[in-house]
Amino acid sequence: MLINIAKPSDLTEADVTPESIYLSRRRFMGGVVGLGAGLTLSNPTHANADYSDVPQGDSPAWLKEKISGTEWRAITPDDPDKDKIAPYDDASNYNNFYEFGTGKTDPARRAGSLRTEPWSVVIDGEVNNGGRFALEDIAKPSQFEERIYRLRCVEAWSMVIPWLGIPLADIIQRAEPTSKAKYVRFETLVDPEQMPGQRSSFSLIDWPYVEGLRLDEAMHPLTLLAMGMYGRELPNQNGAPLRLVVPWKYGFKSIKSIVRITLVEEQPVNSWQLIAPNEYGFYANVNPEVDHPRWSQATERRLPNSLFSPNTIDTLMFNGYADEVAELYAGLDLKANY
Ligand SMILES: Nc1nc2c(c(=O)[nH]1)N[C@H]1C(S)=C(S)[C@@H](COP(=O)(O)O)O[C@H]1N2
Ligand SMILES: [Mo]
């Protein structure tokens, strides 16, 4: 499969428009931006995609500048009626981020203590061009893009979230993996002073929170390093200033507040695998046919919902991204490799 994502130079002026103009224009434009085969794209009038009420955060000037240069050319889920973007208030107040507590509202209440500036990321392991890089230098050479993706948590709820960021493949290519590099391992910050969940002696997780991808998954064009959402920087509770988004996998793969990216030879063991290996695997591809030992994965609650309108929908294979990613797993037993 080849996803032909247009280069900035291929885009017309209408495709690369500052946010403010874009936001007012987007509701009136009908055209479909022509990108390559495979990806379901992109009606710029995607239902309820209006971020004008979203409060702006306070991020450094370089990040604001990158965000205003975003290609507002969303790669979207394919059903704009059903796949409505979650209101910002839901996406930023119903979170899993155990570094700030295990309750869904703990991260929004407590993540204010995280200092995201300055921030640097170590890129090391099987690479020729590793080191410690300021976030700004990681972001600078890449074009920011918007990606409207479904996020499906293994707990059987989901949301549609508009992310901003850069393909992970950009970063990995620049690091120049050696021929031994087969997997990518990610780590979240460890700092109990800033992260109250890491001070709790009852914590399940052996910090840092760790995740991993196979190198071909990491290089896949859908795999995003997000630095923003809803047309602004990431709120801390969503993993500021840098988090992974892998839309065809359960949400726990999408590790937040990343400080280290290591190219490795062996398959990394992720935090949830360590805690309960019979419940959480390395792959964690969304799959309605492979149930979690304690609950079914056949359906999900699409948020926002309510008691009177539970909004239960069928879960899709690979979270609806099968056309793009199924061939990564040709020949792999998805029941054994959950
Ligand atoms: N470091 C870290 N990353 C994490 C988590 C976490 O607890 N710590 N939770 C994961 C889980 S279970 C989910 S569902 C998503 C939630 O992302 P969101 O809060 O932005 O919706 O983040 C993932 N990334
Ligand atoms: Mo999750």
Side-chain angles (χ1 to χ4, degrees):
M1 172 209 54
L2 236 183
I3 294 176
N4 173 21
I5 295 183
K7 302 239 156 31
S9 56
D10 301 335
L11 296 173
T12 66
E13 187 268 325
D15 301 325
V16 189
T17 306
E19 183 193 2
S20 52
I21 305 171
Y22 167 80
L23 289 175
S24 57
R25 215 194 252 171
R26 143 179 245 195
R27 274 161 281 164
F28 305 110
M29 285 197 324
V32 174
V33 179
L35 292 185
L39 286 180
T40 308
L41 296 177
S42 177
N43 183 343
T45 59
H46 189 283
N48 80 353
D50 177 352
Y51 315 138
S52 50
D53 301 346
V54 173
Q56 292 301 302
D58 105 73
S59 57
W62 68 263
L63 182 53
K64 292 218 182 293
E65 197 178 309
K66 286 303 283 189
I67 289 172
S68 68
T70 299
E71 275 172 21
W72 296 102
R73 182 206 57 199
I75 293 173
T76 74
D78 41 45
D79 184 345
D81 292 324
K82 190 178 74 183
D83 288 323
K84 288 211 181 359
I85 293 175
Y88 174 81
D89 277 352
D90 293 273
S92 60
N93 284 288
Y94 187 91
N95 301 101
N96 277 332
F97 199 171
Y98 278 32
E99 285 82 343
F100 296 99
T102 54
K104 290 286 181 287
T105 56
D106 289 343
R109 284 187 297 108
R110 301 167 89 186
S113 55
L114 178 66
R115 291 184 303 273
T116 58
E117 159 75 6
W119 191 272
S120 63
V121 180
V122 171
I123 302 178
D124 64 356
E126 291 295 339
V127 293
N128 291 318
N129 192 17
R132 177 182 286 278
F133 302 93
L135 185 64
E136 180 177 1
D137 295 324
I138 290 179
K140 218 189 258 164
S142 292
Q143 170 68 48
F144 271 35
E145 300 171 26
E146 180 176 55
R147 304 287 182 89
I148 301 174
Y149 285 157
R150 304 184 192 92
L151 177 84
R152 168 59 158 85
C153 177
V154 75
E155 299 163 332
W157 53 266
S158 65
M159 284 193 225
V160 175
I161 298 181
W163 305 104
L164 302 178
I166 65 181
L168 174 62
D170 282 15
I171 304 309
I172 294 180
Q173 257 153 11
R174 270 184 250 138
E176 297 173 17
T178 71
S179 60
K180 284 191 184 159
K182 300 286 186 296
Y183 295 89
V184 188
R185 182 182 183 279
F186 304 86
E187 276 181 25
T188 295
L189 178 70
V190 181
D191 187 343
E193 262 173 43
Q194 299 185 59
M195 296 177 141
Q198 294 178 337
R199 297 199 290 268
S200 159
S201 42
F202 300 106
S203 167
L204 285 169
I205 297 176
D206 185 15
W207 312 105
Y209 192 99
V210 170
E211 259 308 335
L213 294 172
R214 227 167 55 186
L215 187 56
D216 59 344
E217 298 175 325
M219 296 297 288
H220 192 281
L222 287 181
T223 304
L224 192 73
L225 271 180
M227 289 180 241
M229 64 183 216
Y230 295 81
R232 53 161 283 172
E233 62 273 57
L234 288 173
N236 290 356
Q237 61 267 36
N238 292 84
L242 182 74
R243 63 92 53 89
L244 186 66
V245 182
V246 194
W248 70 94
K249 292 179 179 285
Y250 291 118
F252 67 84
K253 299 296 289 183
S254 291
I255 181 173
K256 296 177 169 180
S257 304
I258 296 167
V259 293
R260 188 168 176 200
I261 300 175
T262 310
L263 282 278
V264 293
E265 212 174 341
E266 306 290 330
Q267 184 173 295
V269 179
N270 58 55
S271 293
W272 288 102
Q273 251 180 311
L274 267 179
I275 296 164
N278 58 328
E279 299 189 12
Y280 308 102
F282 173 77
Y283 281 94
N285 291 316
V286 175
N287 188 338
E289 285 154 29
V290 178
D291 289 335
H292 183 277
R294 288 180 284 134
W295 58 79
S296 162
Q297 294 291 19
T299 62
E300 66 202 54
R301 289 182 297 123
R302 173 59 56 81
L303 303 182
N305 72 342
S306 69
L307 213 50
F308 303 107
S309 148
N311 208 16
T312 304
I313 59 173
D314 287 342
T315 289
L316 302 174
M317 189 64 204
F318 296 113
N319 205 23
Y321 302 96
D323 286 351
E324 288 79 41
V325 303
E327 80 170 19
L328 292 175
Y329 309 104
L332 190 76
D333 177 348
L334 295 174
K335 243 191 151 84
N337 296 280
Y338 53 91

